[in-house]
Amino acid sequence: MSKEHKVTIADIAREAGVSAMTVSRLLNGKGPVAKETAERINEIIERLGYQPNFLARSLSSKKSMIIGVTIPRIEHALLDNYIAQILSGVTNIALKNNYRIMLLPFNPEEGDRNEFVNWHRSKMVDGLILLKTLHRDERIAALAEQHVPFVLANHKYYADGVNFIDVNNAKGIALAVEYLVAKGHSEIAFVTGDLRETNALDRLNGFKKVMQKLGLPLREDWIINGQFNREIAYRESAKLFADKKRPDAVVCSDDYMAIGVINRIKELGLSVPDDVAVTGFDDIEIAGFLRPALTTVRQPIENIGRVAAETLIKILNEGIKKPVHRLLNVKLIPRESA
Amino acid sequence: MSKEHKVTIADIAREAGVSAMTVSRLLNGKGPVAKETAERINEIIERLGYQPNFLARSLSSKKSMIIGVTIPRIEHALLDNYIAQILSGVTNIALKNNYRIMLLPFNPEEGDRNEFVNWHRSKMVDGLILLKTLHRDERIAALAEQHVPFVLANHKYYADGVNFIDVNNAKGIALAVEYLVAKGHSEIAFVTGDLRETNALDRLNGFKKVMQKLGLPLREDWIINGQFNREIAYRESAKLFADKKRPDAVVCSDDYMAIGVINRIKELGLSVPDDVAVTGFDDIEIAGFLRPALTTVRQPIENIGRVAAETLIKILNEGIKKPVHRLLNVKLIPRESA
DNA sequence: ATGAAAGCGCTAACAT
DNA sequence: ATGTTAGCGCTTTCAT
C-alpha cells in the first residue's frame, strides 16, 4: 500500500527470498506452503500493496473468471425492469462464485454468425448468458456447434448443446384466463409480445389453447401485437374498443403492455376492472403500486437469472454434461385490475 | 471460420509467409502494410476465423479497454431505474469508443480503502465510473491520490483529482417549491433521500434555502427521511398527516418516494392534488403513466451517464488535465399530481 | 514495408 | 515444501 507503481510477483518473491511459484501457490491456495513462509510472504504482499495482474493470470491459466451477459443494443435496454432483474440475479450468483460480469451489447435482429462465439474465442469471457435473443438466432447455433459454455435466459430452445432456463409461459396464460372465466368473463382479448421471442410465442399459443379448451370464442381481431412495449400496446389496443362489441377482459403478455392498455381503457371513459378487466405478466416491481393494482402472472425473473448463472458456473467447473432445460414455475397474483 | 481451435497470430503469419508483426500492424492499423500483403492476410484471417486474444493483447499493450462501473451490492440495485439509466448512458458511449463495461459490485457502506484502486491495479479496468458512492468515501480519496482515472456520477465532490458529473439539485427543488407556491400552496413538507448521498443533502439544503427565501415557515417535523425508498417514504409519510394541521403539499427527493407518499395520501381518503399536492424528482420512465401523472423535476439521468463516460474516455486518451466538475441542468415537468 | 528479439506477469508441468 | 523451465499470445522497440 505504499509503492507508487506496479509491484509484481517477482518483487514479492525476491523480497521474501523464495521463488515466484511459492508466492503464486500461496495466492491461489494451490499446493503446500510452509506456514512461516506464508506469513512472511503475506506480510510483504501487504506492505508493498501487491495486487495480482488479472490479465497475466488469465492469459496463463486460460480462465478469465468473467461471465458475459448480452443486452440488447437499444437506448433503454437496462430500463426494462425485466432485463434488469435477470441481470441482478446473474450478478448476485456470479459474485458469490468469484466471477465478474461483462456487459455485451448486441443487436437482436442481426449480426455475424460468429459474433457470440468470438467473444469467447477472444478469451474475453469464460462463458455467456444470453438475454433477449430472438427465435432461431444463428449465433446461438454457432455457440452450440463450437461448444462454447452458454445458457439462454427466457428463451426456449430444445437442441443439442443448448441450455436454457425459462418459465412455463403457457401455464401462466392459462392461469390468467381461467381466473377471468371464473370471474364471469368470456369475451377475452389478447395482447402479444414480440413474437420473435419464444416466450411471446408460447404465451400466444397458450392463450389459443386454453380458450379452445374452455370452449370460448377466439376472435382473430381481438389478438393484437403489443411488441412488449407499453406505448405500442396503448396505441394498438384502441382497435379492441373501436366496435360496439368489445371484450370484457384483456390478457396481456407483460405488465408494461397492461399499463398501456389500462390507460387506453380509462381514457375511453371505461373503468378497470368493472367494464374491462386486465391482466399482465411478469409482476414487475411497480405492479402492486399501480392504481388499480395489477392482477398479473408472476414469473420469478430474478431467479431465472440466478439459475442461469448457477447453471453456467456448473458447466464451467464440471464441463458440459447433458443439456439443461429448465422451466420455472409461475403464479397468478390477483389484485385489483381483474 | 473453420478450425475448431485456437488460431493465433503466428498461424496467420506463417500461412501468409510474413512475420507476426506484420499481422499485428494490420490488425491494429498501426504502421504501414503493403496493400497486397494486407489483402492476403485478411483473406487468411477470414478463412481461419482468427480472433485476437484479448488477454494477450491487453497484457502486452497495458490497456484493457474495459471501463468498470460500480453498482451497489444489494439485491435489487439494477431494478433502480436511476442506476439503470446511468448505466445505459455509460454503455452507449463506451460501446461507441470500443470500450466494454464491467460491473463492479461494491458495498457503499464500507470496504478496504484500496478496494477501488485495486480494480485498476489488477489491470482489470482502465478506468472507473462510480455510482451510488456515499459522502466522504475514503476509497474515492485513494483513487485521487493514486491517479487512477475515474469519474463520479451524481456525487458532488470538490477536490483535487476528483472528477464528477452531477445536476443542479438545489435548483431543481427550488423549481418545485416555486411552482407549488405559484399554485397557492404554502404548507409544504419535504421528504429527503439517503442523506449520506450528496445529492440528497443538496436537495434538502436547497429546500431549506428556498423556503427561507420565500419567507415560508420551515417545520422540522415536516421534513421526513424517506431514504430514496418508496416503502420507507410510504411508512414515514404517515407522520405528516397524523396532526389535524397537515401540509397541503409534499416535495419529494425522488419519484419512487413520491409514489409512496401518494399512495399514503390516497389511503387516508385524501385526494392528490386537490387536498395535497405532491412532486417528485428524476422523472423516471413510468412517471407520466402513473395516475395521477407525476409532477416532477426531470434530471437528465441517462445523459449523466453519457457525459461521465465521455469524460472518462477523454481522460484515458489524453491524460488528466484539470479536474472536471460539471453540473447538468434540471427542468420542472408539470403533470397532474401538483 | 517488414522482421527479430525481448518482454508483459503470471502459472502449468515437471523437477528436487 | 519449494524451485526451474517454458510458455500463454500478443505488442514494443529497434533493426533492416
Side-chain angles (χ1 to χ4, degrees):
Chain A
M1 153 141 125
S2 54
K3 288 285 158 291
E4 171 65 88
H5 252 341
K6 46 190 169 191
V7 183
T8 73
I9 203 170
D11 297 324
I12 305 298
R14 194 178 329 107
E15 188 91 5
V18 297
S19 78
M21 265 320 293
T22 304
V23 180
S24 173
R25 282 196 190 93
L26 178 63
L27 249 23
N28 297 290
K30 293 184 178 178
V33 178
K35 201 164 172 223
E36 288 182 7
T37 320
E39 278 166 10
R40 189 154 30 97
I41 295 175
N42 276 328
E43 185 272 325
I44 295 168
I45 285 178
E46 183 79 7
R47 180 155 49 81
L48 300 190
Y50 167 71
Q51 193 64 21
N53 183 315
F54 149 82
L55 296 167
R57 171 179 283 178
S58 300
L59 179 62
S60 182
S61 68
K62 302 179 182 320
K63 282 187 300 184
S64 69
M65 297 304 283
I66 297 177
I67 291 173
V69 181
T70 64
I71 55 170
R73 186 184 293 176
I74 50 171
E75 292 285 312
H76 297 285
L78 287 165
L79 305 198
D80 183 329
N81 186 279
Y82 172 88
I83 293 179
Q85 280 202 54
I86 292 193
L87 204 47
S88 175
V90 170
T91 306
N92 284 322
I93 295 301
L95 199 69
K96 285 188 185 130
N97 291 274
N98 272 314
Y99 280 89
R100 307 243 167 228
I101 296 300
M102 179 166 289
L103 261 26
L104 299 172
F106 80 114
N107 181 347
E109 325 241 334
E110 56 177 0
D112 186 275
R113 188 172 198 274
N114 277 318
E115 183 180 7
F116 296 173
V117 169
N118 285 344
W119 287 328
H120 183 252
R121 278 212 192 135
S122 74
K123 304 301 168 198
M124 186 116 53
V125 301
D126 288 341
L128 293 165
I129 289 178
L130 304 186
L131 250 52
K132 283 285 173 179
T133 40
L134 303 180
H135 194 37
R136 297 180 195 284
D137 189 321
E138 275 289 302
R139 292 169 289 190
I140 298 174
L143 287 174
E145 280 164 21
Q146 318 255 345
H147 307 295
V148 174
F150 77 102
V151 177
L152 298 177
N154 257 333
H155 179 144
K156 202 152 70 183
Y157 190 139
Y158 289 101
D160 245 28
V162 177
N163 313 290
F164 68 76
I165 314 295
D166 199 0
V167 298
N168 199 328
N169 288 296
K171 179 184 163 195
I173 294 297
L175 289 175
V177 172
E178 283 159 3
Y179 171 83
L180 288 169
V181 170
K183 286 251 179 179
H185 299 275
S186 60
E187 313 292 318
I188 305 176
F190 188 75
V191 183
T192 75
D194 184 336
L195 291 174
R196 297 169 307 171
E197 296 188 30
T198 61
N199 44 35
L201 261 178
D202 288 347
R203 288 172 204 172
L204 173 58
N205 291 332
F207 177 71
K208 290 181 176 169
K209 204 163 143 192
V210 69
M211 289 294 276
Q212 187 173 31
K213 184 183 126 197
L214 298 175
L216 294 172
L218 194 68
R219 288 184 50 167
E220 282 298 332
D221 57 332
W222 280 4
I223 295 179
I224 62 172
N225 190 333
Q227 310 267 17
F228 283 139
N229 179 300
R230 190 194 61 209
E231 302 202 29
I232 293 178
Y234 169 77
R235 200 179 65 217
E236 295 296 307
S237 58
K239 293 178 189 163
L240 299 176
F241 307 102
D243 284 357
K244 247 176 312 202
K245 165 124 174 129
R246 55 172 168 74
D248 58 10
V250 183
V251 172
C252 301
S253 292
D254 86 359
D255 289 345
Y256 286 107
M257 299 195 293
I259 294 172
V261 169
I262 288 174
N263 278 331
R264 164 66 64 194
I265 293 169
K266 284 184 180 172
E267 208 170 284
L268 293 171
L270 298 170
S271 123
V272 177
D274 296 336
D275 296 317
V276 188
V278 178
T279 66
F281 204 110
D282 284 354
D283 196 27
I284 58 175
E285 202 255 355
I286 202 97
F289 263 78
L290 297 168
R291 291 296 173 266
L294 203 58
T295 294
T296 189
V297 177
R298 174 182 294 167
Q299 57 167 327
I301 311 183
E302 181 157 1
N303 209 31
I304 293 170
R306 303 181 98 92
V307 175
E310 282 163 358
T311 304
L312 180 61
I313 290 170
K314 193 158 180 226
I315 290 172
L316 255 17
N317 290 337
E318 306 170 13
I320 306 178
K321 319 264 161 139
K322 65 188 83 169
V324 176
H325 296 160
R326 265 187 75 180
L327 292 186
L328 305 184
N329 227 332
V330 295
K331 185 178 167 187
L332 186 81
I333 309 291
R335 294 201 183 92
E336 301 165 1
S337 70
Chain B
M1 156 139 125
S2 53
K3 288 286 156 294
E4 171 66 87
H5 251 339
K6 47 190 168 192
V7 183
T8 74
I9 204 171
D11 297 323
I12 305 297
R14 194 178 328 107
E15 187 91 4
V18 297
S19 79
M21 264 321 293
T22 304
V23 179
S24 174
R25 282 197 190 92
L26 178 64
L27 248 22
N28 297 292
K30 292 185 178 176
V33 178
K35 202 164 170 223
E36 288 182 8
T37 320
E39 280 166 10
R40 189 154 31 97
I41 295 175
N42 275 328
E43 185 272 325
I44 294 168
I45 285 177
E46 182 78 8
R47 179 154 51 80
L48 300 190
Y50 168 72
Q51 192 64 21
N53 183 316
F54 149 82
L55 295 167
R57 171 178 284 177
S58 300
L59 178 62
S60 184
S61 68
K62 302 183 184 315
K63 282 187 301 184
S64 69
M65 299 303 283
I66 298 178
I67 291 174
V69 181
T70 64
I71 55 170
R73 188 184 295 177
I74 50 171
E75 292 285 312
H76 296 284
L78 287 164
L79 304 199
D80 183 328
N81 186 281
Y82 173 88
I83 293 179
Q85 280 201 55
I86 292 192
L87 203 47
S88 175
V90 169
T91 306
N92 284 320
I93 296 301
L95 198 68
K96 286 189 185 128
N97 291 274
N98 271 315
Y99 280 89
R100 307 244 167 227
I101 297 300
M102 180 166 289
L103 261 26
L104 299 172
F106 80 114
N107 181 347
E109 325 240 334
E110 56 177 0
D112 186 274
R113 189 172 198 274
N114 277 318
E115 183 180 8
F116 296 173
V117 168
N118 284 344
W119 288 329
H120 183 251
R121 278 214 192 132
S122 74
K123 304 303 170 197
M124 185 118 50
V125 301
D126 288 342
L128 293 166
I129 289 178
L130 303 186
L131 249 53
K132 285 284 173 180
T133 39
L134 303 179
H135 195 36
R136 297 178 195 285
D137 189 321
E138 274 290 301
R139 291 169 290 191
I140 298 174
L143 287 174
E145 280 164 20
Q146 317 255 347
H147 307 296
V148 174
F150 76 103
V151 177
L152 298 177
N154 257 334
H155 180 145
K156 202 152 69 181
Y157 191 138
Y158 290 99
D160 245 29
V162 177
N163 313 290
F164 68 75
I165 314 295
D166 199 0
V167 298
N168 198 328
N169 288 297
K171 181 184 162 196
I173 293 297
L175 288 176
V177 172
E178 284 161 3
Y179 171 85
L180 288 169
V181 170
K183 287 250 178 179
H185 300 274
S186 60
E187 313 291 320
I188 305 177
F190 187 75
V191 183
T192 75
D194 184 336
L195 291 173
R196 297 170 307 171
E197 296 187 31
T198 61
N199 45 34
L201 261 178
D202 288 347
R203 289 173 204 173
L204 173 59
N205 291 333
F207 177 71
K208 290 180 176 168
K209 205 162 143 193
V210 69
M211 290 292 279
Q212 187 172 32
K213 185 183 125 197
L214 297 174
L216 294 173
L218 193 68
R219 289 183 49 167
E220 283 297 333
D221 56 334
W222 280 4
I223 295 180
I224 63 172
N225 190 334
Q227 309 265 17
F228 283 140
N229 179 300
R230 190 194 61 209
E231 302 202 29
I232 293 178
Y234 169 77
R235 199 179 66 217
E236 295 295 307
S237 58
K239 294 177 189 163
L240 297 177
F241 306 102
D243 283 357
K244 248 177 312 206
K245 165 124 173 129
R246 56 171 168 75
D248 59 10
V250 183
V251 172
C252 301
S253 291
D254 85 358
D255 289 345
Y256 286 108
M257 299 195 294
I259 294 173
V261 170
I262 288 174
N263 279 331
R264 164 67 63 197
I265 293 170
K266 283 184 179 174
E267 207 170 285
L268 294 170
L270 299 170
S271 125
V272 177
D274 296 335
D275 296 319
V276 188
V278 177
T279 67
F281 205 109
D282 284 352
D283 196 26
I284 58 174
E285 202 255 354
I286 203 94
F289 263 79
L290 297 168
R291 292 296 172 264
L294 203 58
T295 293
T296 188
V297 177
R298 174 181 295 167
Q299 58 167 323
I301 311 183
E302 181 158 1
N303 209 32
I304 293 170
R306 304 180 97 92
V307 176
E310 282 162 359
T311 304
L312 180 61
I313 290 171
K314 193 158 180 229
I315 291 171
L316 254 18
N317 291 336
E318 306 170 13
I320 305 177
K321 317 268 161 138
K322 64 188 84 170
V324 176
H325 297 162
R326 267 187 74 180
L327 291 186
L328 304 184
N329 226 332
V330 295
K331 185 179 167 186
L332 185 82
I333 309 291
R335 293 202 183 92
E336 301 165 1
S337 70

